[in-house]
Amino acid sequence: MIRVGVNGYGTIGKRVADAVAAQLDMELVGVTKTSPDYGAEAALRRGYDLYAAVDDQAAAFEDAGLAIAGSLADLLDAVDVVVDCTPAGIGERNRPIYDAHGTPAIYQGGEDAAIADASFNARASGDVSEADSLRVVSCNTTGLSRLLAPIDEVYGVEKARVTLVRRGGDPSETDRGPINDVVPDPATVPSHHGPDVNAVLPDIDVDTAALKAPVTGMHTHSVNVTLEREPTAAEVRELLRDETRLFLIPERAGIDGAGALKDYASDLGRARGDFWENCVWEESISVEGRDLYLFQNVHQEADVVPENVDAIRALASDISREESVARTNDALGVGLESLLSEDGAPRDQVAADD
Ligand code: NAD
């Protein structure tokens, strides 16, 4: 069993904690909180041991009647890997603490790439077996890497151009925006997302431009890739359909946006309406000469979660990448394509409680 601690129990941390707890080869030792808020209470109600992220806050948990199993230092001494899910920039401050305890760490995409020995995406990044720390790339970069890796392998990417319409904030982030506008963010082009893709796919020429929209559900990517070869749209559809972490939305599903996607995930019984897969509109996949076009949505709160689980195995085991992805997918129920397939082939049923 790989013993795992999660430092920072917010949007990403609580999902990573649940995903770790669902793995047969991992033990969630505990999660940290900075204050005894609703997240702390929810963690305890889920049966997770709670550790005080900041030593002088321990008394506040006691005052609130929430049992604390120890401090961050105690958690670090009890685990094989810590997954840092603190807000962007805090991971950098935590790094010396993890190093002092000799605890291998996984960081999130809000940190600079230099924080870890390697950036990670299970589908796209190369060998990380020598790394003692990893950084799981951001939600947008995860979504782009999963898409561009198979396309590059089979058709060759001459140049990718992507416009990212990003959600203004997560549903719980009442202080984010915009609330009534769509704003270029950054207004300079290219945005940082393309270079971040190069942290895991160094040879792909990709330019990104980014906007922010007053929505909380998902990011939307408008993708144009000039290929080295000229496939048919049907060939590209089949290529992408074979990827377990890409979900091709069939036209007949009647899913027209993030609202319906999240509704569908909720109807399937997925906790929090989470979509771990990229959601690619099948009918948007078009080829004009060597130019491929498509639209995809990525659920920013969820797509990095299976990647964190695979990053844990990459740091703390000899399990192959392929086997790790299979285990993670199996334990979480990642992979929806077969449910809505239109080819009449037998479908692998994914039960609502998967
Ligand atoms: P969040 O604000 O929802 O959660 C962070 C949690 O860490 C909060 O519970 C906060 O109280 C806690 N925290 C703050 N300081 C801490 C400390 N010193 N020690 C321990 N815990 C502390 O943030 P998030 O959205 O989950 O983002 C976490 C990381 O994941 C960031 O690097 C972010 O860029 C990245 N990320 C976020 C998203 C997203 O859409 N939310 C997607 C992919 C990657």
Short mmCIF file of all heavy atoms in Angstrom, two decimals, residues 3-5 29-30 32 51 70-82 97-104:
data_model
loop_
_atom_site.label_atom_id
_atom_site.label_comp_id
_atom_site.label_asym_id
_atom_site.label_seq_id
_atom_site.Cartn_x
_atom_site.Cartn_y
_atom_site.Cartn_z
N ARG A 3 1.23 4.89 1.10
CA ARG A 3 0.59 5.76 2.09
C ARG A 3 0.68 7.22 1.60
O ARG A 3 1.77 7.70 1.28
CB ARG A 3 1.28 5.60 3.45
CG ARG A 3 1.09 4.21 4.04
CD ARG A 3 2.05 3.98 5.18
NE ARG A 3 3.42 4.16 4.74
CZ ARG A 3 4.46 4.39 5.55
NH1 ARG A 3 4.27 4.50 6.84
NH2 ARG A 3 5.68 4.53 5.07
N VAL A 4 -0.49 7.87 1.54
CA VAL A 4 -0.56 9.19 0.92
C VAL A 4 -1.19 10.19 1.88
O VAL A 4 -2.16 9.88 2.57
CB VAL A 4 -1.43 9.12 -0.37
CG1 VAL A 4 -1.51 10.49 -1.06
CG2 VAL A 4 -0.90 8.06 -1.34
N GLY A 5 -0.63 11.39 1.88
CA GLY A 5 -1.24 12.51 2.60
C GLY A 5 -1.58 13.61 1.62
O GLY A 5 -0.89 13.80 0.61
N VAL A 29 -3.75 8.48 4.36
CA VAL A 29 -3.43 8.59 5.78
C VAL A 29 -4.17 9.78 6.40
O VAL A 29 -4.65 9.70 7.53
CB VAL A 29 -1.91 8.72 5.98
CG1 VAL A 29 -1.56 8.95 7.45
CG2 VAL A 29 -1.21 7.47 5.45
N GLY A 30 -4.29 10.85 5.66
CA GLY A 30 -5.02 12.00 6.18
C GLY A 30 -4.92 13.21 5.28
O GLY A 30 -4.21 13.19 4.26
N THR A 32 -4.96 17.75 5.38
CA THR A 32 -4.76 18.91 6.27
C THR A 32 -5.81 19.98 5.97
O THR A 32 -6.34 20.09 4.86
CB THR A 32 -3.39 19.58 6.07
OG1 THR A 32 -3.37 20.25 4.80
CG2 THR A 32 -2.25 18.58 6.16
N TYR A 51 -5.44 16.70 9.85
CA TYR A 51 -4.20 17.21 10.44
C TYR A 51 -4.21 18.73 10.29
O TYR A 51 -4.69 19.27 9.29
CB TYR A 51 -2.97 16.63 9.71
CG TYR A 51 -2.77 15.15 9.97
CD1 TYR A 51 -3.59 14.20 9.36
CD2 TYR A 51 -1.78 14.70 10.84
CE1 TYR A 51 -3.42 12.84 9.60
CE2 TYR A 51 -1.60 13.35 11.09
CZ TYR A 51 -2.41 12.43 10.47
OH TYR A 51 -2.25 11.09 10.72
N GLY A 70 -3.10 15.19 14.28
CA GLY A 70 -1.73 15.64 14.44
C GLY A 70 -1.46 16.88 13.60
O GLY A 70 -2.39 17.54 13.10
N SER A 71 -0.18 17.16 13.43
CA SER A 71 0.23 18.34 12.67
C SER A 71 0.66 17.92 11.26
O SER A 71 0.78 16.71 10.96
CB SER A 71 1.43 19.00 13.37
OG SER A 71 2.51 18.07 13.36
N LEU A 72 0.97 18.89 10.42
CA LEU A 72 1.48 18.57 9.08
C LEU A 72 2.75 17.73 9.20
O LEU A 72 2.94 16.77 8.45
CB LEU A 72 1.77 19.88 8.32
CG LEU A 72 2.49 19.71 6.97
CD1 LEU A 72 1.64 18.90 5.98
CD2 LEU A 72 2.84 21.08 6.37
N ALA A 73 3.61 18.07 10.17
CA ALA A 73 4.86 17.31 10.35
C ALA A 73 4.55 15.84 10.64
O ALA A 73 5.21 14.93 10.11
CB ALA A 73 5.68 17.92 11.48
N ASP A 74 3.55 15.59 11.48
CA ASP A 74 3.16 14.20 11.80
C ASP A 74 2.70 13.49 10.53
O ASP A 74 3.04 12.33 10.29
CB ASP A 74 2.02 14.18 12.83
CG ASP A 74 2.44 14.76 14.17
OD1 ASP A 74 3.63 14.60 14.52
OD2 ASP A 74 1.59 15.39 14.83
N LEU A 75 1.91 14.20 9.73
CA LEU A 75 1.40 13.58 8.50
C LEU A 75 2.56 13.24 7.55
O LEU A 75 2.62 12.14 6.99
CB LEU A 75 0.40 14.53 7.81
CG LEU A 75 -0.21 14.02 6.50
CD1 LEU A 75 -1.05 12.76 6.75
CD2 LEU A 75 -1.08 15.10 5.85
N LEU A 76 3.49 14.20 7.42
CA LEU A 76 4.62 13.98 6.49
C LEU A 76 5.46 12.77 6.93
O LEU A 76 5.98 12.04 6.08
CB LEU A 76 5.49 15.23 6.40
CG LEU A 76 4.80 16.45 5.77
CD1 LEU A 76 5.74 17.66 5.80
CD2 LEU A 76 4.36 16.17 4.35
N ASP A 77 5.58 12.58 8.24
CA ASP A 77 6.38 11.45 8.73
C ASP A 77 5.67 10.11 8.53
O ASP A 77 6.30 9.06 8.60
CB ASP A 77 6.73 11.65 10.21
CG ASP A 77 7.76 12.76 10.40
OD1 ASP A 77 8.48 13.05 9.43
OD2 ASP A 77 7.82 13.33 11.50
N ALA A 78 4.35 10.17 8.31
CA ALA A 78 3.57 8.92 8.24
C ALA A 78 3.28 8.47 6.81
O ALA A 78 2.66 7.43 6.62
CB ALA A 78 2.25 9.12 8.99
N VAL A 79 3.72 9.26 5.81
CA VAL A 79 3.31 8.93 4.43
C VAL A 79 4.52 8.66 3.53
O VAL A 79 5.65 9.06 3.84
CB VAL A 79 2.46 10.07 3.81
CG1 VAL A 79 1.18 10.26 4.62
CG2 VAL A 79 3.24 11.38 3.70
N ASP A 80 4.24 7.99 2.41
CA ASP A 80 5.27 7.77 1.38
C ASP A 80 5.30 8.94 0.40
O ASP A 80 6.33 9.22 -0.21
CB ASP A 80 4.96 6.49 0.60
CG ASP A 80 4.91 5.28 1.52
OD1 ASP A 80 5.86 5.11 2.30
OD2 ASP A 80 3.93 4.52 1.47
N VAL A 81 4.14 9.59 0.22
CA VAL A 81 4.02 10.71 -0.73
C VAL A 81 3.05 11.73 -0.16
O VAL A 81 2.02 11.35 0.41
CB VAL A 81 3.45 10.24 -2.10
CG1 VAL A 81 3.30 11.41 -3.06
CG2 VAL A 81 4.31 9.16 -2.72
N VAL A 82 3.38 13.01 -0.32
CA VAL A 82 2.41 14.05 0.00
C VAL A 82 1.97 14.71 -1.31
O VAL A 82 2.79 14.97 -2.19
CB VAL A 82 2.97 15.10 0.99
CG1 VAL A 82 4.18 15.84 0.41
CG2 VAL A 82 1.90 16.11 1.39
N ILE A 97 9.69 22.31 3.60
CA ILE A 97 9.15 21.48 4.71
C ILE A 97 9.13 20.01 4.27
O ILE A 97 9.54 19.12 5.02
CB ILE A 97 7.72 21.95 5.09
CG1 ILE A 97 7.73 23.42 5.47
CG2 ILE A 97 7.15 21.09 6.23
CD1 ILE A 97 6.35 24.03 5.70
N TYR A 98 8.67 19.77 3.03
CA TYR A 98 8.64 18.39 2.53
C TYR A 98 10.08 17.85 2.44
O TYR A 98 10.35 16.70 2.80
CB TYR A 98 7.98 18.30 1.16
CG TYR A 98 6.57 18.87 1.11
CD1 TYR A 98 6.09 19.46 -0.07
CD2 TYR A 98 5.74 18.83 2.22
CE1 TYR A 98 4.81 19.99 -0.12
CE2 TYR A 98 4.45 19.36 2.17
CZ TYR A 98 4.00 19.95 0.99
OH TYR A 98 2.74 20.47 0.93
N ASP A 99 10.98 18.68 1.95
CA ASP A 99 12.37 18.26 1.81
C ASP A 99 12.97 17.91 3.18
O ASP A 99 13.68 16.92 3.32
CB ASP A 99 13.22 19.38 1.16
CG ASP A 99 12.89 19.53 -0.33
OD1 ASP A 99 12.21 18.64 -0.88
OD2 ASP A 99 13.30 20.54 -0.93
N ALA A 100 12.65 18.73 4.18
CA ALA A 100 13.20 18.50 5.52
C ALA A 100 12.73 17.16 6.08
O ALA A 100 13.46 16.52 6.85
CB ALA A 100 12.80 19.64 6.46
N HIS A 101 11.55 16.75 5.71
CA HIS A 101 11.02 15.46 6.19
C HIS A 101 11.38 14.31 5.24
O HIS A 101 11.02 13.17 5.51
CB HIS A 101 9.50 15.54 6.36
CG HIS A 101 9.07 16.32 7.56
ND1 HIS A 101 8.78 15.74 8.77
CD2 HIS A 101 8.95 17.66 7.76
CE1 HIS A 101 8.48 16.67 9.66
NE2 HIS A 101 8.57 17.86 9.07
N GLY A 102 12.03 14.64 4.14
CA GLY A 102 12.38 13.60 3.17
C GLY A 102 11.14 12.96 2.54
O GLY A 102 11.17 11.78 2.17
N THR A 103 10.08 13.73 2.41
CA THR A 103 8.82 13.18 1.87
C THR A 103 8.67 13.58 0.40
O THR A 103 8.56 14.78 0.09
CB THR A 103 7.61 13.73 2.68
OG1 THR A 103 7.87 13.53 4.07
CG2 THR A 103 6.33 13.01 2.27
N PRO A 104 8.66 12.60 -0.50
CA PRO A 104 8.45 12.93 -1.92
C PRO A 104 7.12 13.66 -2.10
O PRO A 104 6.12 13.30 -1.46
CB PRO A 104 8.42 11.56 -2.60
CG PRO A 104 9.15 10.64 -1.65
CD PRO A 104 8.84 11.17 -0.28
#
